[in-house]
Amino acid sequence: MSDTQTSLRNNIRLLGRLLGETIQRHLGETFFDKIETIRTLALQARHGQLQSKQTLIEILRQLPDDELLPVVKAFNQFLNLANIAEQYDSVKRQRSNLDVRDTIDASLAEILSRGITQQELYAAIDALSIDLVLTAHPTEVVRRTLIRKYEVVAELLEALDHNDLSVHEVEDITRTLRQVITEVWHTNEIRKLRPTPIEEAQWGVAVIENSFWQAIPRFARSLDQAIRQCTGAHLSLDRFPVQLSSWMGGDRDGNPNVTAAVTERVILHGRCSAAKMYLKDVNALIAQLSMQFCSEELKSMVGDSEEPYRTLLELVKDKLRATRDWCQYKIDHDKALDLDIYHCTHELLAPLQLCYRSLEQQGLSVIANGELLDAIRRLQCFGLTLSKLDIRQEASRHTDVLAEILQYLELGDYKSWDEQQRQIFLLQELRNKRPLLPVDWKGSADTNEIIDTFRVVAGQQIEYLGAYVISMAANPSDVLAVKLLLKEFGADLNLSVVPLFETLVDLAGAPQCIDSLLSLSDYRTIMGDHQQVMIGYSDSAKDAGQAAAAWAQYQAQEQLVKLFHQHATPFTLFHGRGGSVGRGGGPTHLAILAQAPGSVNGRLRVTEQGEMIRFKFGTSKLTTQTLSMYVSAVVQATLLPPPEVKPLWRKQMISIASQAVTSYRHFTQDNEEFEIYFQQVSPIKELGQLALGSRPNNRGADKGIKSLRAIPWTFAWMQIRLMVPAWLGTEKALEGANDQMLKNLQDMHRHWPFFRTHIDLVEMVLAKTDSDMVEYYEKLLVDSRLHPLGKQLRQQLSNLKDSVNLIKRQSHLLDNEPLIRDAINLRNPYLDPLHYLQAEMLRRLRFNKEHQDTVQQALQVTIAGIAAGMRNTG
């Protein structure tokens, strides 16, 4: 066992011991012994002792209602503490083997060794554009209150990780750790009320304040040093390669809680928070920059001041205060004060850059490149709003608005027009200088809400906004409609309007749609400086299964790259990835390197969703590590793209995707019993009662699978350890491979990053599945007539495991990934009691109405605990 593995186990053992002491103090020796008995039996059961398993199940089934909550709470909190220890271990391994700077160094050195020149490498880094879009999909189970306490636990583990600590210092840190864990134990895990969109946005701001704010300067310095060592040049002072955007408060697709008023308030909150954060930086700089000598340029701004830097920064501070007060007053009173405030980033950036140039000219580079440069980097990354806000709306809502307007104006039935008629009308109106709408016109409530949103958009600086995303886009008219509405209300037409192609049919049609759009000369004049296209992962996977969806996404990217080159159009592909493999998730580095050749052309936009924000950006050091992975992978994918797909590989993948989607839809869409089985075996109905996010689980009033969103669909299968969305269909496509096909699949896995990543991610999911546990849920909750369906699913799961092992030439899953395998094995004995209890509580709630409030609360904690143990929700 390595030193880092020993350290990880020691940390987990320490946190587990302190949690046990806390439980013992609160609930007494007898109850603590019961929890220890459950834990011991679960460990023995995982080591193959059948009698221990039967005893464990019997003890858990006999627990009275009032003991359910403390038992599930204990196992839930242990799994959360284990996650913290693992996250810290990840950062520590990076630091002990290759720190973040060295990781970038190693990546850049590898690129240079492959024939790329220093000039080409620097040019690629200088043009780099990575936009991380934080989203508020309902997947984050853990409350913000607990998240902050978990961050403190991580900080204390780091504080303990020093060889030079005295006995008293160790005792002091351990005492604080014990206190925080006690606070965690006595804090309610589950939200009582759903967060509002504004509260979700405030959570996003908290992530930036607590993690990104410190990480960005640290990462910038590491990247600068790596660039200098590899190319002799510095990271540009004019721009920063990483930007942040958000959907929190802007994503109104299917969420009636996100209104125009909410969007405006979220932007104001962002501006207010940014002003407060920059004020702290400026105050620190005022205290620091006491130097007397300055450049003539600075002197011309402040006159003969004895402390010119402080004089200039005092003016900046006054304007930042005014900006903060203006925003807060607008939030509180819905009207603005007459104050001199900052409206755009350049206004605040200019005086900071002036100070920087002056210090450089005076030979004070060591000061210029300290906290002042950190403040400049932050401003370049975060802007005046901390993150840009995307607006997302479903395409049919814009169609409804235009149909209502045209009906009022007696210009025709827009909905009945074909695509060509719509394009002609929209382009004509885009050229027309007169308004389309009468000033006093009032539409329906739904239409007025859409129109109010465009008015809010028009009232913002374009730098406050990331993009306008059109979900369920299918035709050029979907994009032109948004451009027309932007024009109508005076918004900046340079705002990126992004069609989102989600389903298998839409992905297949995306190239033709974009080709038609770019062929319109009038559109090219209003497009902006480049075109952005979003690839949807969640809905395509739910629609067709992971294998078929992944191939459809890859093919769409291939064709889009060719089209953009044909039209000589700069482009960005926006990847709408989820957290789980079933929704396009997976390790960042692998996902980027597996994209189609040319699709990562120095530009990447990608969603970071739900609990993955915490796992990737939960602390400043984790954030620095994640940013390093992003930059390394994007530069590598840009300069060293993956090989073109061999004809034989393409033919094989087409066959796999075709068989996979047929099998997947046979179960999920053609088999009436499948939905009944899903509703009975999983906690899907109960998930709807969790206050996870502001958005409903279903689109519309229908509660069936078809209208169910991809997130709860994936979440429910994960809870019972079957993970259907990530693998169903793939097993049929791979089963029974003859020697030649197997040889071809092995060759694809070895040499084709796309296929290798797909199989490796499927393997990781399969390692987390548990057929015995699924069967236990089934026996307790599912009508016996549906048991053959469950048995068939489990058999196909087993077949796929065999196929993956053959392709990877291994005996067992994760033979080559010991860290992942050990992490899963560590969690299983703590997950098992939660699973058994969850199934038992579902039985009590569904079949015995006497068991309600107490059981319901404990059930919600099992959902949170299993999510923590699986490190995935949706």
Side-chain angles (χ1 to χ4, degrees), residues 70-138:
V71 171
V72 299
K73 189 182 182 80
F75 287 93
N76 171 36
Q77 289 304 344
F78 176 84
L79 289 165
N80 277 297
L81 293 173
N83 283 343
I84 296 166
E86 277 198 350
Q87 285 178 334
Y88 173 66
D89 180 66
S90 173
V91 172
K92 182 179 177 180
R93 277 188 286 109
Q94 280 277 53
R95 190 172 64 229
S96 60
N97 297 327
L98 294 169
D99 69 16
V100 173
R101 176 179 54 79
D102 290 332
T103 300
I104 299 174
D105 284 349
S107 179
L108 299 188
E110 168 66 17
I111 292 170
L112 289 174
S113 72
R114 301 275 292 275
I116 301 297
T117 67
Q118 291 183 342
Q119 292 77 15
E120 289 171 330
L121 177 58
Y122 183 79
I125 296 173
D126 192 48
L128 206 61
S129 176
I130 299 172
D131 193 350
L132 305 179
V133 185
L134 310 180
T135 74
H137 287 273

Side-chain angles (χ1 to χ4, degrees), residues 103 137 163 212 231 295 328 335 354 417 489 491 663 702 718 747 783 859:
T103 300
H137 287 273
N163 295 326
F212 280 95
T231 70
S295 66
Q328 192 61 59
K335 59 182 179 180
L354 174 56
W417 291 354
F489 297 101
S663 175
D702 179 26
M718 181 276 299
D747 185 56
D783 191 309
L859 174 65

Side-chain angles (χ1 to χ4, degrees), residues 734-778:
L734 297 180
E735 71 179 6
N738 58 33
D739 290 344
Q740 183 56 48
M741 178 181 173
L742 178 59
K743 184 178 179 182
N744 190 32
L745 292 173
Q746 290 171 338
D747 185 56
M748 291 163 65
H749 183 266
R750 188 181 301 109
H751 300 293
W752 187 13
F754 164 77
F755 188 73
R756 179 170 59 249
T757 298
H758 175 65
I759 292 298
D760 289 353
L761 291 178
V762 168
E763 177 192 26
M764 185 174 67
V765 169
L766 295 179
K768 290 184 177 183
T769 60
D770 189 326
S771 292
D772 290 342
M773 192 60 70
V774 177
E775 188 174 9
Y776 183 77
Y777 276 85
E778 188 179 288

Side-chain angles (χ1 to χ4, degrees), residues 246-318:
S246 173
W247 279 12
M248 304 178 195
D251 180 9
R252 59 236 314 121
D253 178 22
N255 190 348
N257 300 309
V258 179
T259 63
V262 164
T263 294
E264 186 171 26
R265 283 179 69 86
V266 165
I267 293 172
L268 283 169
H269 276 292
R271 292 176 66 187
C272 191
S273 297
K276 292 175 183 177
M277 297 296 286
Y278 291 129
L279 261 173
K280 293 179 183 178
D281 275 6
V282 170
N283 279 325
L285 290 172
I286 289 172
Q288 183 187 76
L289 302 184
S290 57
M291 289 65 67
Q292 177 181 358
F293 300 107
C294 70
S295 66
E296 289 299 322
E297 183 186 16
L298 177 54
K299 187 178 292 185
S300 69
M301 292 286 293
V302 299
D304 293 324
S305 170
E306 292 186 1
E307 296 180 324
Y309 300 94
R310 285 179 167 174
T311 300
L312 179 60
L313 291 174
E314 285 289 350
L315 297 175
V316 171
K317 182 172 76 171
D318 290 343

Side-chain angles (χ1 to χ4, degrees), residues 454-460 483-494:
F454 279 95
R455 288 197 174 106
V456 168
V457 168
Q460 308 303 320
K483 285 288 188 181
L484 176 58
L485 291 171
L486 289 171
K487 167 185 171 287
E488 184 64 22
F489 297 101
D492 193 327
L493 287 181
N494 287 315

